[in-house]
Amino acid sequence: MNTMEQIQRLKQHTLLLMQHNYVERYIQPPVFSESKVFITYCLLRELELDEAVEAEYFSSILLIQSALDRHDDILDENVTSDKKKRQLVVLSGDYFSSLYYLLLARCENLDLISQLSSAVQSINEHKANLHQQDRLLNGSVEYLKNVQKIESLLFTKAAESFGLHTYIPFIKRYLLVSRYQNTEMRRQLSEEQLNYLKACEKELKNKDVEMPLMFHREGYSIETGSENDLMLGEG
């Protein structure tokens, strides 16, 4: 089974856990960020886990990320204007969180539960800061660094729990660059922010930060990473 097939198998396992027919009658099923899927997979590959444990860790991390994403959907105009959708968005986010706790409790990994819970708290604090900065500082590097923390904290905390501390600088840069792959999103950045993003890209390209083993395989380059690894099919 190649890398893409392994990732698709893990994604499908997670999506089956998340299925709720009543909820999906009213709101769209979750769509995973492929860069976060790939980072999760790369970290777990380093641990050489039993397949069943790997699947539970993979699902746990994506479940808590999906819970965060689902709660962010509250701000969507189509959701705020529809009371039933609004309630279901909140409840489905809570449902994903409960599944995450259930899976990790089965694995009895209290440290990972603690690290991911700490990440969720920090992410929510950074989101609050971002909201406060929105009008005055949204063109600053400080604002972009807050975005970077929101994107990467869940995965850097997972890396800490797994003893993979050396990959944290890579994760921060990779997930920020992945967020701004889209040309239209880049156009919204100030010159100062764009320079910071380009510096992150350069460090990745030159391998100035330590990368997971998956990124050292033959023929891999950071420039084609979004095509080879991130675009694995939505949800």
Short mmCIF file of all heavy atoms in Angstrom, two decimals, residues 154-183:
data_model
loop_
_atom_site.label_atom_id
_atom_site.label_comp_id
_atom_site.label_asym_id
_atom_site.label_seq_id
_atom_site.Cartn_x
_atom_site.Cartn_y
_atom_site.Cartn_z
N LEU A 154 -1.77 22.67 17.38
CA LEU A 154 -2.25 21.31 17.64
C LEU A 154 -1.19 20.28 17.26
O LEU A 154 -0.98 19.28 17.96
CB LEU A 154 -3.53 21.07 16.84
CG LEU A 154 -4.42 19.91 17.30
CD1 LEU A 154 -4.99 20.18 18.68
CD2 LEU A 154 -5.55 19.69 16.30
N PHE A 155 -0.48 20.55 16.18
CA PHE A 155 0.48 19.59 15.62
C PHE A 155 1.85 19.70 16.30
O PHE A 155 2.55 18.69 16.45
CB PHE A 155 0.55 19.78 14.11
CG PHE A 155 -0.81 19.67 13.50
CD1 PHE A 155 -1.62 20.80 13.34
CD2 PHE A 155 -1.34 18.43 13.17
CE1 PHE A 155 -2.91 20.70 12.85
CE2 PHE A 155 -2.63 18.32 12.69
CZ PHE A 155 -3.42 19.46 12.53
N THR A 156 2.22 20.91 16.73
CA THR A 156 3.47 21.04 17.48
C THR A 156 3.33 20.41 18.86
O THR A 156 4.27 19.80 19.38
CB THR A 156 3.91 22.51 17.60
OG1 THR A 156 2.89 23.28 18.25
CG2 THR A 156 4.20 23.11 16.23
N LYS A 157 2.14 20.52 19.47
CA LYS A 157 1.90 19.87 20.76
C LYS A 157 1.90 18.35 20.62
O LYS A 157 2.39 17.62 21.49
CB LYS A 157 0.59 20.36 21.37
CG LYS A 157 0.64 21.78 21.90
CD LYS A 157 1.55 21.90 23.11
CE LYS A 157 1.51 23.27 23.73
NZ LYS A 157 2.40 23.39 24.90
N ALA A 158 1.33 17.86 19.52
CA ALA A 158 1.37 16.41 19.26
C ALA A 158 2.82 15.96 19.09
O ALA A 158 3.22 14.92 19.64
CB ALA A 158 0.56 16.07 18.00
N ALA A 159 3.61 16.75 18.36
CA ALA A 159 5.03 16.42 18.17
C ALA A 159 5.76 16.38 19.50
O ALA A 159 6.58 15.48 19.75
CB ALA A 159 5.69 17.44 17.24
N GLU A 160 5.45 17.32 20.40
CA GLU A 160 6.06 17.31 21.73
C GLU A 160 5.71 16.03 22.47
O GLU A 160 6.57 15.39 23.09
CB GLU A 160 5.56 18.51 22.55
CG GLU A 160 6.21 19.83 22.19
CD GLU A 160 5.72 20.96 23.08
OE1 GLU A 160 5.36 20.68 24.25
OE2 GLU A 160 5.69 22.11 22.62
N SER A 161 4.45 15.65 22.42
CA SER A 161 4.00 14.44 23.12
C SER A 161 4.69 13.19 22.57
O SER A 161 4.99 12.26 23.32
CB SER A 161 2.48 14.30 23.00
OG SER A 161 2.03 13.13 23.66
N PHE A 162 4.94 13.20 21.26
CA PHE A 162 5.57 12.04 20.62
C PHE A 162 7.10 12.07 20.74
O PHE A 162 7.77 11.17 20.25
CB PHE A 162 5.20 11.98 19.14
CG PHE A 162 3.73 11.79 18.88
CD1 PHE A 162 3.14 12.37 17.75
CD2 PHE A 162 2.93 11.05 19.72
CE1 PHE A 162 1.78 12.20 17.49
CE2 PHE A 162 1.58 10.87 19.48
CZ PHE A 162 1.00 11.46 18.36
N GLY A 163 7.65 13.12 21.38
CA GLY A 163 9.10 13.23 21.50
C GLY A 163 9.78 13.67 20.21
O GLY A 163 10.98 13.43 20.02
N LEU A 164 9.04 14.33 19.34
CA LEU A 164 9.57 14.76 18.03
C LEU A 164 9.77 16.28 18.01
O LEU A 164 9.37 16.97 17.07
CB LEU A 164 8.61 14.32 16.91
CG LEU A 164 8.33 12.81 16.83
CD1 LEU A 164 7.24 12.50 15.81
CD2 LEU A 164 9.61 12.04 16.50
N HIS A 165 10.41 16.78 19.04
CA HIS A 165 10.57 18.23 19.22
C HIS A 165 11.33 18.89 18.06
O HIS A 165 11.09 20.05 17.74
CB HIS A 165 11.32 18.53 20.53
CG HIS A 165 10.64 17.99 21.75
ND1 HIS A 165 10.71 16.66 22.11
CD2 HIS A 165 9.88 18.60 22.69
CE1 HIS A 165 10.02 16.48 23.22
NE2 HIS A 165 9.51 17.63 23.60
N THR A 166 12.26 18.16 17.47
CA THR A 166 13.10 18.77 16.43
C THR A 166 12.31 19.17 15.18
O THR A 166 12.79 19.96 14.38
CB THR A 166 14.23 17.81 16.00
OG1 THR A 166 13.65 16.56 15.56
CG2 THR A 166 15.19 17.55 17.15
N TYR A 167 11.10 18.63 15.02
CA TYR A 167 10.30 18.94 13.84
C TYR A 167 9.39 20.16 14.02
O TYR A 167 8.71 20.57 13.08
CB TYR A 167 9.45 17.74 13.44
CG TYR A 167 10.24 16.51 13.07
CD1 TYR A 167 9.76 15.23 13.36
CD2 TYR A 167 11.47 16.61 12.42
CE1 TYR A 167 10.50 14.10 13.04
CE2 TYR A 167 12.20 15.49 12.09
CZ TYR A 167 11.70 14.23 12.40
OH TYR A 167 12.42 13.11 12.07
N ILE A 168 9.37 20.72 15.22
CA ILE A 168 8.44 21.82 15.50
C ILE A 168 8.68 23.04 14.59
O ILE A 168 7.71 23.58 14.03
CB ILE A 168 8.47 22.18 17.00
CG1 ILE A 168 7.78 21.06 17.80
CG2 ILE A 168 7.79 23.53 17.26
CD1 ILE A 168 7.86 21.21 19.30
N PRO A 169 9.93 23.49 14.40
CA PRO A 169 10.13 24.63 13.49
C PRO A 169 9.63 24.34 12.07
O PRO A 169 9.06 25.22 11.41
CB PRO A 169 11.65 24.83 13.51
CG PRO A 169 12.08 24.28 14.83
CD PRO A 169 11.18 23.09 15.07
N PHE A 170 9.83 23.10 11.62
CA PHE A 170 9.34 22.72 10.30
C PHE A 170 7.81 22.79 10.23
O PHE A 170 7.25 23.35 9.29
CB PHE A 170 9.79 21.30 9.96
CG PHE A 170 9.09 20.72 8.76
CD1 PHE A 170 9.43 21.11 7.48
CD2 PHE A 170 8.05 19.80 8.93
CE1 PHE A 170 8.77 20.60 6.37
CE2 PHE A 170 7.38 19.30 7.84
CZ PHE A 170 7.74 19.69 6.56
N ILE A 171 7.14 22.22 11.22
CA ILE A 171 5.67 22.20 11.22
C ILE A 171 5.10 23.61 11.14
O ILE A 171 4.18 23.88 10.38
CB ILE A 171 5.15 21.47 12.48
CG1 ILE A 171 5.53 19.99 12.45
CG2 ILE A 171 3.63 21.62 12.61
CD1 ILE A 171 5.31 19.26 13.77
N LYS A 172 5.68 24.52 11.94
CA LYS A 172 5.20 25.91 11.95
C LYS A 172 5.31 26.54 10.55
O LYS A 172 4.38 27.21 10.09
CB LYS A 172 6.01 26.74 12.94
CG LYS A 172 5.75 26.40 14.40
CD LYS A 172 6.63 27.26 15.30
CE LYS A 172 6.38 26.96 16.77
NZ LYS A 172 7.27 27.78 17.64
N ARG A 173 6.43 26.34 9.90
CA ARG A 173 6.64 26.94 8.58
C ARG A 173 5.80 26.26 7.51
O ARG A 173 5.19 26.91 6.65
CB ARG A 173 8.14 26.89 8.22
CG ARG A 173 8.97 27.87 9.03
CD ARG A 173 10.43 27.43 9.16
NE ARG A 173 11.22 28.38 9.93
CZ ARG A 173 11.19 28.48 11.27
NH1 ARG A 173 10.40 27.67 11.95
NH2 ARG A 173 11.92 29.36 11.89
N TYR A 174 5.77 24.95 7.56
CA TYR A 174 5.06 24.18 6.53
C TYR A 174 3.56 24.49 6.53
O TYR A 174 2.96 24.70 5.46
CB TYR A 174 5.29 22.70 6.78
CG TYR A 174 4.66 21.78 5.76
CD1 TYR A 174 5.20 21.66 4.49
CD2 TYR A 174 3.53 21.02 6.08
CE1 TYR A 174 4.64 20.81 3.56
CE2 TYR A 174 2.97 20.18 5.15
CZ TYR A 174 3.52 20.08 3.89
OH TYR A 174 2.95 19.24 2.97
N LEU A 175 2.96 24.56 7.70
CA LEU A 175 1.52 24.80 7.75
C LEU A 175 1.16 26.24 7.41
O LEU A 175 0.10 26.49 6.83
CB LEU A 175 0.96 24.40 9.12
CG LEU A 175 0.95 22.89 9.38
CD1 LEU A 175 0.42 22.58 10.78
CD2 LEU A 175 0.12 22.14 8.33
N LEU A 176 2.05 27.18 7.73
CA LEU A 176 1.78 28.57 7.32
C LEU A 176 1.88 28.70 5.81
O LEU A 176 1.01 29.30 5.16
CB LEU A 176 2.77 29.52 7.99
CG LEU A 176 2.53 31.01 7.66
CD1 LEU A 176 1.23 31.51 8.27
CD2 LEU A 176 3.71 31.87 8.12
N VAL A 177 2.94 28.15 5.23
CA VAL A 177 3.12 28.21 3.77
C VAL A 177 1.96 27.51 3.07
O VAL A 177 1.45 28.00 2.06
CB VAL A 177 4.48 27.59 3.37
CG1 VAL A 177 4.56 27.39 1.87
CG2 VAL A 177 5.63 28.48 3.86
N SER A 178 1.53 26.38 3.62
CA SER A 178 0.41 25.64 3.02
C SER A 178 -0.88 26.45 3.05
O SER A 178 -1.66 26.42 2.09
CB SER A 178 0.19 24.32 3.76
OG SER A 178 1.32 23.50 3.66
N ARG A 179 -1.09 27.19 4.12
CA ARG A 179 -2.30 28.03 4.23
C ARG A 179 -2.34 29.09 3.14
O ARG A 179 -3.40 29.44 2.64
CB ARG A 179 -2.36 28.69 5.60
CG ARG A 179 -3.57 29.61 5.77
CD ARG A 179 -3.57 30.29 7.12
NE ARG A 179 -4.58 31.32 7.21
CZ ARG A 179 -5.84 31.13 7.58
NH1 ARG A 179 -6.24 29.92 7.90
NH2 ARG A 179 -6.69 32.13 7.63
N TYR A 180 -1.15 29.59 2.78
CA TYR A 180 -1.08 30.68 1.79
C TYR A 180 -0.57 30.21 0.43
O TYR A 180 0.11 30.94 -0.27
CB TYR A 180 -0.22 31.82 2.34
CG TYR A 180 -0.91 32.57 3.46
CD1 TYR A 180 -0.63 32.26 4.80
CD2 TYR A 180 -1.86 33.55 3.19
CE1 TYR A 180 -1.29 32.92 5.83
CE2 TYR A 180 -2.51 34.21 4.22
CZ TYR A 180 -2.22 33.89 5.53
OH TYR A 180 -2.86 34.55 6.54
N GLN A 181 -0.93 28.98 0.06
CA GLN A 181 -0.61 28.49 -1.28
C GLN A 181 -1.41 29.24 -2.35
O GLN A 181 -0.94 29.45 -3.45
CB GLN A 181 -0.93 26.99 -1.38
CG GLN A 181 0.03 26.07 -0.67
CD GLN A 181 1.34 25.90 -1.42
OE1 GLN A 181 1.40 26.06 -2.64
NE2 GLN A 181 2.39 25.62 -0.69
N ASN A 182 -2.61 29.63 -1.96
CA ASN A 182 -3.53 30.28 -2.90
C ASN A 182 -3.05 31.69 -3.24
O ASN A 182 -2.75 32.49 -2.36
CB ASN A 182 -4.92 30.33 -2.26
CG ASN A 182 -5.95 30.90 -3.18
OD1 ASN A 182 -5.99 32.10 -3.39
ND2 ASN A 182 -6.79 30.04 -3.74
N THR A 183 -2.97 31.99 -4.56
CA THR A 183 -2.49 33.29 -5.03
C THR A 183 -3.35 34.43 -4.50
O THR A 183 -2.84 35.49 -4.10
CB THR A 183 -2.47 33.34 -6.57
OG1 THR A 183 -1.69 32.25 -7.05
CG2 THR A 183 -1.87 34.64 -7.08
#
